[in-house]
Amino acid sequence: MSMLEVLTPQERQLVASLPYRAGLWVSVSDTEGGDKAEEKELIALNNIILGFAEQVFGSEFLQYVMRETVAQKDNWALWSKDIDTLPDQCRKALIILRSHFDEKEVQTYTMRLIEIGEAVALAFRESQPESPIEKLKTYVAYNISKYKATQKKQPAKTYDQYLSISPSERKAMMALAGALGLQYSV
């Protein structure tokens, strides 16, 4: 019996759709890179979901969720609609999950959604600071971000990773984290 069978079909669909929708949410947040960025980010999203579904270590619950996400790949186009509802859906999913699973499983699920969003953001660098002033501002912002991450005892991004996450993607990641009850530092 699958761990997900305790959920109603609608709840199961919601929980399974969020790994895909979280990555898509970050991808569509920034249109600056055009079709090339979208293509690379969707490939990254597909690959990370497939990779997580095949993972044999970690949370058994999460493995069931990711396998369900892959099993419903035919629904991904449908899941692409109404992407602006993602934050509310995340909050709803957490309520559902907390009523059936322990907090450790729920936290593992939320962290995986963040990892997926971040992997998509890192898949394509939409722009690069060009003028000396832009470069300086970006470098200062990076160092502030790095300092904040170390204060929160979180791993800091490299400068190259920081450049790959656009300001729009940062906002999307922070909104996703907020909906999941987490803090996100870029």
Side-chain angles (χ1 to χ4, degrees), residues 23-24 26-46 119-127 164 166 169:
L24 188 64
V26 174
S27 180
V28 301
S29 70
D30 190 337
T31 59
E32 194 173 319
D35 291 342
K36 186 175 181 183
E38 181 180 350
E39 180 183 340
K40 283 191 172 240
E41 290 172 347
L42 291 179
I43 289 170
L45 177 56
N46 182 67
V120 169
L122 290 168
F124 187 85
R125 184 178 299 171
E126 281 81 0
S127 64
S164 290
S166 73
E169 290 168 336

Side-chain angles (χ1 to χ4, degrees), residues 7-25:
L7 304 175
T8 68
Q10 295 84 5
E11 291 170 341
R12 191 173 178 157
Q13 179 86 1
L14 173 64
V15 170
S17 72
L18 290 181
Y20 177 78
R21 288 176 58 78
L24 188 64
W25 164 265

Side-chain angles (χ1 to χ4, degrees), residues 107-164:
Q107 287 301 313
T108 302
Y109 178 79
T110 61
M111 292 306 298
R112 187 57 43 103
L113 296 181
I114 291 294
E115 289 171 5
I116 291 169
E118 189 171 79
V120 169
L122 290 168
F124 187 85
R125 184 178 299 171
E126 281 81 0
S127 64
Q128 183 124 329
E130 302 219 3
S131 74
I133 297 293
E134 287 176 340
K135 288 179 181 178
L136 179 62
K137 284 181 180 180
T138 302
Y139 190 71
V140 168
Y142 164 70
N143 281 303
I144 291 169
S145 169
K146 188 175 170 182
Y147 174 78
K148 286 180 180 180
T150 57
Q151 291 301 305
K152 295 176 186 175
K153 296 184 169 94
Q154 296 176 341
K157 308 282 180 284
T158 66
Y159 187 61
D160 190 53
Q161 289 171 325
Y162 181 83
L163 289 175
S164 290

Side-chain angles (χ1 to χ4, degrees), residues 3 24 26 81 94 103 121 125 177:
M3 293 178 83
L24 188 64
V26 174
K81 297 182 185 327
L94 292 181
E103 189 61 27
R125 184 178 299 171

Side-chain angles (χ1 to χ4, degrees), residues 90-108:
C90 287
R91 288 186 274 276
K92 182 178 179 182
L94 292 181
I95 292 167
I96 292 165
L97 292 175
R98 285 188 172 113
S99 70
H100 295 286
F101 301 99
D102 69 31
E103 189 61 27
K104 182 180 176 188
E105 298 290 1
V106 176
Q107 287 301 313
T108 302

